[in-house]
Amino acid sequence: MPKTTGHGDREKYLVARLAKKIPSIGSFGNRAVPFGIGDDSAVLRPSGQSEFVVSCDFSLEGVHFRGATHPAVSIGYRCLVRAASDIVAMGACPRYFLVALALPAEKTPPAAKGANWLDSFSSGMGRAARELGMLLIGGDITVNQSVSICITVIGELPAGLAISRAGARPGHLIYVTGTLGAAQLGLEILLRGSTRKPAPAKLLQPHLYPRIPVGFAQAVARRRIPSAMMDISDGLSTDLSRMCESSRTGARLFAAQIPQVDAHRPALDPLQLALHGGEDYSLLFTAPPRRAPLLRAIAAKTKTRITHIGEITRSRKILLVDSNGHESPLEPRGWDPFRVKNQ
Amino acid sequence: MPKTTGHGDREKYLVARLAKKIPSIGSFGNRAVPFGIGDDSAVLRPSGQSEFVVSCDFSLEGVHFRGATHPAVSIGYRCLVRAASDIVAMGACPRYFLVALALPAEKTPPAAKGANWLDSFSSGMGRAARELGMLLIGGDITVNQSVSICITVIGELPAGLAISRAGARPGHLIYVTGTLGAAQLGLEILLRGSTRKPAPAKLLQPHLYPRIPVGFAQAVARRRIPSAMMDISDGLSTDLSRMCESSRTGARLFAAQIPQVDAHRPALDPLQLALHGGEDYSLLFTAPPRRAPLLRAIAAKTKTRITHIGEITRSRKILLVDSNGHESPLEPRGWDPFRVKNQ
């Protein structure tokens, strides 16, 4: 693994332990990644007319997860999915990742006998890597008081097919994949407990182990269907405002059409969860109306739920239209790094 | 900047503030990076028969630097140089970087009037980026209790020319660039003060603003001279042991030939600084003896000091040979993430 910090043997041991549970390029590399883990850097050999897509993403204890609340296996799973979501939202095929990991010494083996934090973390990350078809190609391991993870993800796609968030045009339809607010509901239940039976395992799933529509994103990108696409990481209201700002447009959303969860708690409003709840990693995208039939066909083929929730407007306002046709401005009130801490 | 976490406006403002002082791809991109800052991910278009080299590297408050001791401008400078060093050590041309930055709210403008931490940090990073010829293409900004920085660096080089650390062969000569121990001496003086006049600004320089031999590394890589190459980030003793382990060789180092600093403090031994002091970011490389004349010519042309300090051996031991010809085993006792903390 490129650049392990500190005394050789301990870090080398931790890297080996990590790589054991995560699909990795190994010590010898392959045709596309000709150097293995253990050198200063990973080398990537582009195949034919492809482009690489790169993004990096923090997952920090106390900000993005709580050490006492979130299981290590979920932390490992989520941080990779969360990072991969950014390259999937460009239409790219996720390929490789680097992990920079800082953690307290007591979270590493063999401090605790049997199961330990690093092994569980690696299992979760390995599961996500297998589901996404990604290979670990490098990183950095060091010690810190709290857990800090920074994941760099690299995807590949045919040249010229990347979908930006800036291409939405007036008259284009706005779509989302999946159900919105499910991850936020899972977080609320995790932090405050459920008032309903059955046990909330199924309700926690979208928060602890989010899934992203990889096949759908690639299929629509290959056919150049979306005019703009991004992932909903910080909540629909915030991410739609970013898309509209990048595209220099506005939008009208139809509240009744937004795919919402059953809130399971009287205090939670499904529409508010859907509008402002973060971390669903659903796709938000726009397309000209004439592409609607092909979109539906691809959604059916890739078993992805898509919902038409609004339309792009020339006016720069973002409006929410209720079931009576009443319009009100939609403020960006999505995820805030302080919120988890302050709860 | 791809994926800014949290409420849109504040992060957007911070990103703009950061990018103002750092050469960046801007909002519109260019031929090689067709999308600008502001989308989910950066897109890289490989040019011709080139390969990309990727690495990531943490710089953490309390581990890699001290918030109270290190000036923000040095932290910004060093974290990029430190990360770039890994790709330069492969022989690649440094091109792009992503910055994941977590920092306390009070370190961001406009909390403090006039100069503030983020601006100084950005200035230092901008200076390093200009010196290295690198462009900021993305990242992640969020809030945390202490400063955490993760830099992902991307370099480019002609296909097949990357130099691994695993190619050293018995009989090859071992070289280093620059002077070893200078950064460690700077750190000692920074933490404990100098006992000598003149003022230690010049002595602090190698620690606060390390330089890396970019031109030399690329020139020798293009001519395939080094059989193995890596940067000395954790100290010669530790990094040479890693190179020998990867290459399945041993080494003999000649103590008197190792380029050492004038220690300026009676308590510090120049040889110990040179053997175990970290963060010089000098290059450690090996080459067959017949390439020595060409190496010297390239060193002269690129104004890089290189020194032949030993030889690779078939025996797996790493031995230090003193001026009397006495051999003793050299243990890897380089940089340890706990050390700064415990001082």
Side-chain angles (χ1 to χ4, degrees), chain B residues 53-196:
Chain B
V53 175
V54 188
S55 180
C56 70
D57 210 23
F58 260 138
S59 289
L60 304 173
E61 184 173 350
V63 180
H64 303 94
F65 61 88
R66 286 180 162 195
T69 309
H70 287 87
V73 62
S74 161
I75 296 168
Y77 185 93
R78 282 176 82 228
C79 71
L80 181 55
V81 167
R82 173 179 152 74
S85 179
D86 282 323
I87 53 174
V88 167
M90 304 291 285
C93 175
R95 288 254 192 259
Y96 313 114
F97 65 106
L98 298 92
V99 179
L101 174 63
L103 75 177
E106 69 268 19
K107 283 198 153 64
T108 64
K113 279 178 191 164
N116 65 70
W117 195 93
L118 187 68
D119 283 342
S120 301
F121 172 86
S122 310
S123 293
M125 180 167 280
R127 186 179 138 198
R130 279 186 296 274
E131 287 177 14
L132 294 164
M134 299 185 83
L135 283 182
L136 176 69
I137 60 168
D140 185 15
I141 288 193
T142 189
V143 180
N144 204 4
Q145 288 177 313
S146 63
V147 177
S148 302
I149 308 151
C150 186
I151 307 269
T152 302
V153 285
I154 300 166
E156 207 170 356
L157 85 177
L161 288 194
I163 303 171
S164 120
R165 57 173 70 173
R169 295 293 168 259
H172 288 189
L173 307 182
I174 303 172
Y175 290 87
V176 292
T177 64
T179 303
L180 301 187
Q184 185 68 36
L185 176 65
L187 176 63
E188 304 276 351
I189 290 171
L190 188 71
L191 296 178
R192 301 175 186 180
S194 173
T195 57
R196 273 217 202 172

Side-chain angles (χ1 to χ4, degrees), chain A residues 176 180 232 235-241 253 258 274-275 277 284 309:
Chain A
V176 291
L180 301 186
I232 306 181
L236 177 62
S237 63
T238 292
D239 289 321
L240 178 63
S241 81
L253 287 190
I258 297 172
L275 289 173
L284 168 67
I309 61 166

Side-chain angles (χ1 to χ4, degrees), chain A residues 3-15 141-143, chain B residues 233-235 237-239 241-242 245 275-276 331-339:
Chain A
K3 190 63 173 302
T4 57
T5 318
H7 270 300
D9 285 353
R10 182 70 184 148
E11 272 65 35
K12 202 172 167 173
Y13 169 73
L14 294 180
V15 168
I141 288 194
T142 189
V143 179
Chain B
S233 51
D234 296 341
S237 62
T238 292
D239 289 322
S241 80
R242 290 174 178 157
E245 190 171 334
L275 289 173
H276 310 300
E331 298 298 327
R333 291 197 285 113
W335 192 77
D336 173 345
F338 288 105
R339 190 193 302 162

